[in-house]
Amino acid sequence: MRHDLKSGPLGKTGLSNAFDPNGLAAPTARLGESAPAPVKLDVRHVGFRFGDKPALHDISFSIYANRVTALIGPSGCGKSTLLRVFNRMADLYEDQHVEGQVLLDGEDILAPEVDVLTLRRRIGMVTQKPSPFPMSIYDNVAIGLRLNEELTKVQLDQRVEDALRRAALWEEVSGLLDHSALSLSGGQQQRLCLARTMAVHPEVILLDEPCSALDPISTARIEETIEELKSVSTLVIVTHNLQQAARIADYTAFLYLGELIEFGSSAQMFSAPREARTLAYISGRMG
Ligand SMILES: Nc1ncnc2c1ncn2[C@@H]1O[C@H](COP(=O)(O)OP(=O)(O)OP(=O)(O)O)[C@@H](O)[C@H]1O
Ligand SMILES: [Mg+2]
């Protein structure tokens, strides 16, 4: 049920070669993975400024297809800023400046000619602060499907239900679909925004602390969904929960003060980090 996105400046589907400034080519993530996955997003020398204030410095690493990559680091280190680069959120603000390249299947998504709406269908994002639209619960999830696909009412209902189930929200809202999304609790709004993003089946899903307002049961269900989504999508998740990163992420990137300190398989990062600052952070001595 994927969109045909083969036209336009982002339409090619060839896979790029890994750019490997850190000498980390082809880290194998999980046990028994003998060959690395292809690169889905190749982050090359990305910098970011809010006006004169730098927030990211020369970030380069690869995000592998059909894998989960976690971004970790202390508050204010630039995790959300980096995630926002991947779907061009800075375009909405005059004083926010991005440099470098981010190749999606080999094509630079930061190039001016890129159609940002097409890009955001391919790379969906769930923001740190949930932002449901002021409309019904059903319409929040259906809106992207109505815009992008021609579905019958039965098909639409099915896709909405499927997305709400995957977001671990269906049981709480199945009788309230016509109620305003704004009447939901913070944790429910967070899961609704997750459902809204997942419903359109993006190739890449960016999740900014998707479990920050959730109880352990909902968190476990979202983690199961993330694991399931790997078969069809590439996932990037920001989390402050290091156990969560170790549990669900194949790869982890550690950011500190806007710099990428270390990138590697989660297995390596959490058992034998290469950098002293990574060790200080994951052992709770920093941040
Ligand atoms: N709109 C903005 N204008 C100016 N500076 C900003 C803005 N948004 C973020 N920053 C700054 O950019 C830096 C990175 O912020 P960012 O939100 O990416 O951090 P983060 O790692 O996601 O933190 P947290 O874990 O608290 O969510 C911080 O120093 C922050 O103060
Ligand atoms: Mg953040």
Side-chain angles (χ1 to χ4, degrees):
M1 286 287 232
R2 283 173 165 276
H3 308 295
D4 181 7
L5 293 169
K6 287 189 178 136
S7 56
L10 280 169
K12 289 186 205 149
T13 52
L15 291 159
S16 65
N17 293 323
F19 179 67
D20 185 36
N22 304 319
L24 291 168
T28 48
R30 287 265 162 104
L31 330 165
E33 185 165 280
S34 53
V39 174
K40 186 70 183 174
L41 277 180
D42 207 356
V43 183
R44 296 182 172 193
H45 302 296
V46 165
F48 193 98
R49 284 184 290 116
F50 291 99
D52 295 337
K53 185 182 154 199
L56 295 174
H57 312 270
D58 198 20
I59 306 270
S60 296
F61 67 112
S62 297
I63 292 172
Y64 295 92
N66 301 105
R67 298 290 181 272
V68 178
T69 299
L71 305 182
I72 62 167
S75 183
C77 70
K79 303 178 297 294
S80 297
T81 303
L82 182 57
L83 216 58
R84 293 170 72 253
V85 168
F86 298 155
N87 78 348
R88 301 255 313 235
M89 293 301 276
D91 283 25
L92 304 171
Y93 304 89
E94 259 184 18
D95 65 332
Q96 300 189 7
H97 308 283
V98 189
E99 56 194 42
Q101 290 182 310
V102 177
L103 307 185
L104 171 65
D105 293 338
E107 283 186 81
D108 186 11
I109 64 171
L110 302 181
E113 67 272 17
V114 164
D115 179 72
V116 175
L117 291 180
T118 305
L119 171 68
R120 295 200 184 124
R121 280 203 296 272
R122 295 183 67 185
I123 303 185
M125 175 152 141
V126 181
T127 55
Q128 185 164 3
K129 192 163 160 260
S131 51
F133 301 134
M135 54 179 73
S136 72
I137 294 169
Y138 183 97
D139 286 343
N140 261 273
V141 184
I143 187 169
L145 294 165
R146 287 199 184 105
L147 285 173
N148 298 311
E149 297 183 48
E150 288 191 10
L151 300 173
T152 64
K153 175 78 172 87
V154 172
Q155 288 170 324
L156 189 61
D157 288 351
Q158 191 53 53
R159 290 280 292 275
V160 169
E161 178 177 337
D162 178 60
L164 288 168
R165 281 190 189 281
R166 282 171 179 262
L169 188 59
W170 176 251
E171 281 155 32
E172 288 157 63
V173 303
S174 59
L176 315 168
L177 294 177
D178 56 345
H179 288 216
S180 167
L182 304 179
S183 66
L184 296 173
S185 75
Q188 288 172 326
Q189 290 189 7
Q190 198 170 33
R191 282 173 287 156
L192 182 67
C193 293
L194 183 60
R196 183 174 74 194
T197 298
M198 287 188 304
V200 295
H201 299 169
E203 292 166 50
V204 180
I205 301 180
L206 310 172
L207 302 168
D208 199 344
E209 301 194 42
C211 302
S212 60
L214 304 188
D215 60 83
I217 295 171
S218 301
T219 298
R221 289 180 59 192
I222 298 303
E223 289 184 7
E224 277 170 30
T225 293
I226 289 172
E227 187 65 32
E228 281 168 24
L229 286 171
K230 275 166 63 171
S231 61
V232 288
S233 298
T234 299
L235 295 109
V236 187
I237 176 170
V238 171
T239 180
H240 276 123
N241 181 337
L242 300 181
Q243 283 149 347
Q244 179 172 64
R247 242 186 339 259
I248 64 171
D250 301 286
Y251 298 96
T252 296
F254 170 55
L255 299 176
Y256 184 58
L257 298 177
E259 288 183 36
L260 178 66
I261 304 299
E262 184 164 349
F263 170 77
S265 75
S266 303
Q268 170 261 311
M269 179 89 76
F270 289 106
S271 63
R274 279 183 285 265
E275 295 288 330
R277 281 173 294 185
T278 316
L279 179 61
Y281 182 67
I282 63 177
S283 60
R285 285 186 279 118
M286 175 217 284

